Amino acid sequence: MDFLPLSKISLHHVILRTLVDRGYAPTREELAAHFGVGMEDIAGALSELQDYHGVVLHPHCQEVWLIHPFSTAPTNFLVRLEDRSWWGNCAWCSLGIAALLGGNGVCIDSSLGAEGTPVSVHVDGGRVREKLLVHFPVPMAHVWDNVIYADSTVLLFETDAQIDAWAKRHRIPRGDSQPIQRVYELGAAWYRHHLEGDWHKWTVSEAIDIFTRLGLGGRIWELPLSAERF
């Protein structure tokens, strides 16, 4: 039997493809069987992929916790297409999942500010029906300081006043808010290559170009030019 050569890129592709097709991430044992290698080889490749910020592993074991834009653990965002569903890490990720799924007939169930008021977002023909805002409290330059926390704060709101009150109440710095349609376009641009076999992390210059083309500026969207990739 022929196997794909194991690398962090091919590993990323298999994990993400499995998540899209089956709704869950493959285990280490399943990955080892797929690539025809031993568990030590898979462990090394998973660690390399995590160091590349291509995946986040559970701290107690080398199983996939999240692989952007998907989470393997329950979150405040459930993305549904027909009879299938996935968890998104945040509003940005969930809209990115909608784009990866074709941007048509996708529903995202969430709640405003993760505080209990339910909201559903519908994407059809690459357009979001609802007029909502997405709040980004954590500067992009610091997202990977604690990506789980950063993702958990990118939430949906109805108004800027609602965001102001939410930020004050929770003592979370007020960041940048963007219309949900623009964030859908960001998700589509950001994740468009994630299912391809030659996926790579965006360089900082590529990331800045995406932000600039979508009119995303200010301190939240600044990235250090000294960094290699984001």
Side-chain angles (χ1 to χ4, degrees):
M1 182 179 294
D2 294 328
F3 296 96
L4 291 171
L6 176 62
S7 69
K8 66 176 182 288
I9 304 303
S10 61
L11 183 61
H12 178 273
H13 180 72
V14 169
I15 295 170
L16 205 56
R17 187 75 259 174
T18 302
L19 250 168
V20 170
D21 293 344
R22 301 182 183 177
Y24 56 83
T27 64
R28 289 177 297 168
E29 288 80 6
E30 290 169 333
L31 289 169
H34 178 89
F35 286 101
V37 300
M39 295 298 291
E40 289 186 2
D41 294 318
I42 286 296
L46 283 167
S47 293
E48 184 182 1
L49 183 58
Q50 178 164 251
D51 291 343
Y52 189 61
H53 290 169
V55 71
V56 176
L57 305 174
H58 285 282
H60 65 284
C61 67
Q62 285 191 312
E63 299 290 355
V64 177
W65 187 354
L66 68 83
I67 179 167
H68 285 99
F70 297 90
S71 172
T72 66
T75 71
N76 191 50
F77 294 88
L78 180 68
V79 184
R80 296 185 287 112
L81 176 63
E82 298 174 343
D83 61 345
R84 297 183 293 161
S85 63
W86 304 262
W87 288 305
N89 298 292
C90 65
W92 174 5
C93 286
S94 300
L95 292 161
I97 292 173
L100 278 180
L101 297 175
N104 199 48
V106 181
C107 179
I108 302 169
D109 294 323
S110 186
S111 61
L112 298 176
E115 290 185 330
T117 303
V119 62
S120 291
V121 172
H122 301 86
V123 181
D124 292 295
R127 303 295 300 178
V128 182
R129 291 188 211 166
E130 291 70 23
K131 303 297 183 184
L132 296 170
L133 297 174
V134 179
H135 181 223
F136 297 84
V138 178
M140 294 296 123
H142 295 289
V143 162
W144 281 99
D145 294 351
N146 185 342
V147 72
I148 301 296
Y149 170 77
D151 282 346
S152 73
T153 64
V154 181
L155 301 170
L156 298 171
F157 295 88
E158 292 176 319
T159 65
D160 278 305
Q162 192 178 68
I163 297 173
D164 292 340
W166 178 91
K168 182 178 180 180
R169 184 164 60 253
H170 296 293
R171 297 187 179 183
I172 293 176
R174 176 62 155 90
D176 184 43
S177 61
Q178 292 292 331
I180 193 170
Q181 179 62 37
R182 181 174 295 169
V183 180
Y184 173 82
E185 292 165 6
L186 171 63
W190 195 264
Y191 292 113
R192 68 179 185 272
H193 293 315
H194 270 55
L195 282 173
E196 296 178 3
D198 60 351
W199 163 85
H200 67 271
K201 292 281 290 183
W202 296 118
T203 65
V204 166
S205 62
E206 288 171 333
I208 291 173
D209 181 63
I210 291 172
F211 295 161
T212 301
R213 284 191 284 110
L214 290 169
L216 302 171
R219 68 176 185 85
I220 292 296
W221 302 97
E222 292 174 354
L223 290 172
L225 295 176
S226 57
E228 183 179 351
R229 295 185 183 273
F230 174 64

